[in-house]
Amino acid sequence: MTEFLETIWGHSDMYGELRLMRNAGDRKVITQKFYRLEDGMGIVRAASDCLTFMVEGWDVYYGVVPRVRERGTAADAAPYTSVLWADVDEKHFSSKGEAVTNLNMFKIPASAIVDSGHGFHAYWFLSEPMAMAGAQAAMKFIAKEVGGDAVSDASRVLRVPGTTNYKSAPVPVRLLRFDDARRYRPSDFPVEETVIKRPRAVVTDVSSFTKLPDWLQGIVKEGAPKGSRSEAAFKACLWMIRYGWSEEAIREIFAAYPNGIGEKYAESGDRWLAVTLRAAREAA
């Protein structure tokens, strides 16, 4: 379980979410728990808690995409993902066996498959992060191919393997396949074309920084505390793009403020910023 969550969530300054559900009479009780992902200990605690919650009778789910803050909506999810997923429900097929057979016939073999109790969750691990807009287009394609449900939302929660599905008669949630080495490039998945808005003019001179709104200058100069740096970086990139800034000019600003908005950039480098810029441009 720990290895599974670590592969999905990775290590970052964000949070992993566990979402717990169970019936209490005629109502459903839902609660959330969050774990820092900066080191492995948060993931170890999450895995341990999964077992405790399962024994207490909870259905245990996890947020596939890490959260930038301790909430679980789409707006709280990271703007990129390192995994694609699908949810294949047996009710759409004549049998559970037919459902998994159809899943295994997909031309891009899944990296991991979980028997959720009444269907299957499939995962495709990526060799590099993928902006959520592109990932969602790819997952919609996958769902059509494998007969899956519409589950491409960034806030999606799925069952944790190694727990119990209490939806009706209790059944185990089992990990059937797990191949961390089977990773794919984002370009391996066909997607529908995404229309990206482009600014009418491009700012390439960083001296234009003083023309930005005061609130945006403040984000750049002051940065954000650990736990919200990725969110602040995405927000800064998004609005600078909307104000017509080129990616090279934005990169120069991040480099110029290593104790502000560029603190995470100084630690994680160009690849991290490129992913953030790509996600921001798609959202702009």
Side-chain angles (χ1 to χ4, degrees), residues 255-276:
Y257 290 91
N259 295 318
I261 198 64
E263 184 178 24
K264 182 70 181 289
Y265 175 48
E267 296 175 3
S268 303
D270 286 330
R271 181 178 175 183
W272 170 82
L273 184 56
V275 170
T276 304

Side-chain angles (χ1 to χ4, degrees), residues 2 37 40 114 132 155 163 221:
T2 301
L37 301 177
V114 174
M132 278 308 305
S155 59
T163 62
K221 293 175 181 178

Side-chain angles (χ1 to χ4, degrees), residues 9 12 21 36 40 62 67 70 94 99 119 121 130 157 182 184 202-203 209 227 236 254 257 271 281 283:
W9 283 342
S12 69
M21 304 182 193
R36 290 295 298 269
Y62 77 103
R67 313 314 194 193
E70 293 182 79
S94 62
H121 299 159
M130 187 175 187
V157 295
R182 180 176 286 175
Y184 299 97
V202 177
V203 176
F209 175 68
F254 270 67
Y257 290 91
R271 181 178 175 183
R281 184 165 293 283

Side-chain angles (χ1 to χ4, degrees), residues 2-20:
T2 301
E3 185 180 3
F4 177 84
L5 290 175
E6 187 166 29
T7 298
I8 300 290
W9 283 342
H11 294 169
S12 69
D13 61 349
M14 293 184 279
Y15 298 86
E17 177 193 355
L18 293 184
R19 194 171 302 179
L20 315 173

Side-chain angles (χ1 to χ4, degrees), residues 103-165:
L103 175 60
N104 283 322
M105 288 177 64
F106 182 49
K107 61 184 178 181
I108 307 175
S111 307
I113 296 178
V114 174
D115 181 341
S116 64
H118 302 288
F120 302 92
H121 299 159
Y123 300 88
W124 290 262
F125 302 148
L126 302 176
S127 58
E128 60 186 83
M130 187 175 187
M132 278 308 305
Q136 288 171 323
M139 287 189 281
K140 288 176 182 176
F141 168 81
I142 293 172
K144 291 178 182 178
E145 294 291 309
V146 303
D149 293 330
V151 295
S152 63
D153 49 295
S155 59
R156 176 58 47 180
V157 295
L158 296 174
R159 290 185 181 274
V160 178
T163 62
T164 298
N165 182 333

Side-chain angles (χ1 to χ4, degrees), residues 6 16 40 43 65 77 89 112 115 121-122 138 169 174-175 207 214 224 226 261:
E6 187 166 29
I43 296 174
V65 179
D89 198 316
D115 181 341
H121 299 159
R174 300 180 298 130
L175 186 60
S207 64
D214 290 343
K226 286 188 176 182
I261 198 64

Side-chain angles (χ1 to χ4, degrees), residues 172-243:
V173 180
R174 300 180 298 130
L175 186 60
L176 304 182
R177 178 193 301 169
F178 181 80
D179 186 355
D180 187 28
R182 180 176 286 175
R183 292 183 174 267
Y184 299 97
R185 298 168 300 178
S187 59
D188 290 333
F189 297 88
V191 297
E192 298 176 3
E193 288 192 14
T194 302
V195 177
I196 301 175
K197 300 175 184 177
R198 301 293 181 180
R200 294 181 179 178
V202 177
V203 176
T204 58
D205 184 359
V206 295
S207 64
S208 299
F209 175 68
T210 55
K211 297 179 182 179
L212 292 173
D214 290 343
W215 65 266
L216 184 52
Q217 290 188 48
I219 292 176
V220 171
K221 293 175 181 178
E222 299 169 13
K226 286 188 176 182
S228 58
R229 293 184 301 176
S230 293
E231 176 190 3
F234 175 74
K235 184 176 182 180
C237 289
L238 174 67
W239 281 99
M240 291 179 78
I241 288 171
R242 287 177 174 174
Y243 279 106

Side-chain angles (χ1 to χ4, degrees), residues 8-121:
I8 300 290
W9 283 342
H11 294 169
S12 69
D13 61 349
M14 293 184 279
Y15 298 86
E17 177 193 355
L18 293 184
R19 194 171 302 179
L20 315 173
M21 304 182 193
R22 70 179 176 189
N23 293 322
D26 58 353
R27 66 187 182 93
K28 176 171 285 189
V29 178
I30 301 175
T31 188
Q32 296 165 283
K33 303 291 183 181
F34 294 90
Y35 303 83
R36 290 295 298 269
L37 301 177
E38 281 191 321
D39 57 44
M41 291 309 300
I43 296 174
V44 170
R45 286 193 293 272
S48 176
D49 286 351
C50 283
L51 298 177
T52 300
F53 298 139
M54 176 192 67
V55 171
E56 293 175 350
W58 293 94
D59 282 297
V60 185
Y61 299 80
Y62 77 103
V64 184
V65 179
R67 313 314 194 193
V68 297
R69 63 185 72 82
E70 293 182 79
R71 293 199 296 271
T73 71
D76 305 309
Y80 47 82
T81 179
S82 295
V83 60
L84 305 179
W85 60 88
D87 183 357
V88 180
D89 198 316
E90 68 173 314
K91 68 184 179 184
H92 301 315
F93 299 85
S94 62
S95 68
K96 192 173 177 180
E98 182 184 1
V100 74
T101 297
N102 192 66
L103 175 60
N104 283 322
M105 288 177 64
F106 182 49
K107 61 184 178 181
I108 307 175
S111 307
I113 296 178
V114 174
D115 181 341
S116 64
H118 302 288
F120 302 92
H121 299 159

